[in-house]
Amino acid sequence: MNRAIATVARYVLVEARRSSLPWLAAASLLAAIALSSFLSRVAITEAASLQTSASAALLRAFAVFLVAAHVVSSVVREANDKGLELALALPISRPSWYLGKLLGFACVGALITALFTLPLLASRPADLAAWWLALAMETALVAAAALFFSITLASVVPAIASALGLYLLARSIAGIQLLARGPLAEESWTQAAARGAVDAVALLLPRLDAVTRSDWLLYGAPGAGEFGAAIGALLVYTALLCAAGLFDFHRRSL
């Protein structure tokens, strides 16, 4: 690995440790445990299964939000404080800075994900490991999207909204496709055009609904082939976001 990339990634980890992110992650962990415990208490049957699935869903949402918010706030603050200009004045190329940032943020996401597996340790180790790896890759994709939007938009709220909007659309696009093809859909040219537009958007998005599923912890993770295909799709989309970010960052004048 390029030494400059490793150096930038290390400073990203140091910044995350010194920020309020560890406290926010701990608070999110406690909130997820409390909410899932409450839901299990009011459940009539399958209380343990409900608590596990609710915890997994809440922890996944917290992990994605924390990573997106941390990436955007860190990059925008560094740009506003002229830290980016100072870093690029050193013998560090733009690709090294960008890749180092992305690597560091991906490691931050993996560490948060590892912390969030603690309430789920009652699950089978193989299923929990698959869930952790999928969520770690999911947070890496979110980090790549947040880094891209924070460099492009250079503003906290639009960048966070864009990154989370992309994530939510990728999570829900399969359901939108089902609604567009439902039995109540009218057979008209406008409906056909709408279905075509939804299918076109679906082709451009990763299938996040197929990864980090809560039912993996209850009924078992998918087979190696299906799991590998899902993880591979996340890697490809993360690489595409990284390439787009590098292109935009390289042509931008500071």
Side-chain angles (χ1 to χ4, degrees):
M1 182 189 300
N2 189 309
R3 185 175 179 180
I5 295 176
T7 301
V8 174
R10 182 170 65 86
Y11 278 105
V12 169
L13 291 172
V14 171
E15 179 192 12
R17 180 177 61 83
R18 294 177 177 176
S19 68
S20 59
L21 183 62
W23 297 105
L24 290 174
S28 300
L29 179 64
L30 294 177
I33 294 174
L35 289 173
S36 59
S37 298
F38 172 76
L39 291 175
S40 67
R41 292 297 180 88
V42 300
I44 299 176
T45 59
E46 300 291 340
S49 298
L50 177 60
Q51 182 174 0
T52 300
S53 59
S55 296
L58 289 170
L59 291 170
R60 182 184 65 233
F62 283 141
V64 167
F65 177 78
L66 287 176
V67 169
H70 176 69
V71 171
V72 172
S73 61
S74 174
V75 174
V76 173
R77 182 176 62 251
E78 184 176 0
N80 292 337
D81 294 342
K82 305 301 180 181
L84 175 58
E85 297 179 6
L86 178 62
L88 295 180
L90 301 172
I92 299 177
S93 64
R94 292 194 181 199
S96 296
W97 181 90
Y98 194 94
L99 294 175
K101 285 286 186 179
L102 181 56
L103 177 60
F105 290 135
C107 291
V108 169
L111 291 174
I112 292 176
T113 303
L115 174 66
F116 284 0
T117 59
L118 294 179
L120 308 172
L121 290 178
S123 305
R124 288 177 294 185
D127 299 333
L128 184 58
W131 187 88
W132 171 81
L133 178 59
L135 184 55
M137 295 307 305
E138 200 170 325
T139 54
L141 188 149
V142 171
L147 183 58
F148 169 73
F149 286 119
S150 60
I151 292 293
T152 302
L153 302 177
S155 184
V156 173
V157 175
I160 292 178
S162 299
L164 294 181
L166 177 64
Y167 174 82
L168 291 175
L169 183 60
R171 267 276 168 192
S172 59
I173 191 63
I176 296 174
Q177 284 182 295
L178 289 177
L179 290 175
R181 298 179 182 278
L184 299 180
E186 298 180 359
E187 291 299 331
S188 62
W189 69 270
T190 56
Q191 184 64 28
R195 285 198 299 267
V198 170
D199 292 339
V201 172
L203 288 175
L204 301 176
L205 296 173
R207 292 297 302 270
L208 293 182
D209 59 298
V211 297
T212 326
R213 298 173 58 94
S214 300
D215 55 69
W216 290 2
L217 302 173
L218 301 176
Y219 311 113
E226 182 181 352
F227 181 77
I231 295 298
L234 293 184
L235 288 173
V236 170
Y237 205 83
T238 302
L240 289 175
L241 284 172
C242 180
L246 281 171
F247 175 79
D248 183 73
F249 186 50
H250 183 73
R251 69 178 181 83
R252 183 176 297 275
S253 59
L254 299 176

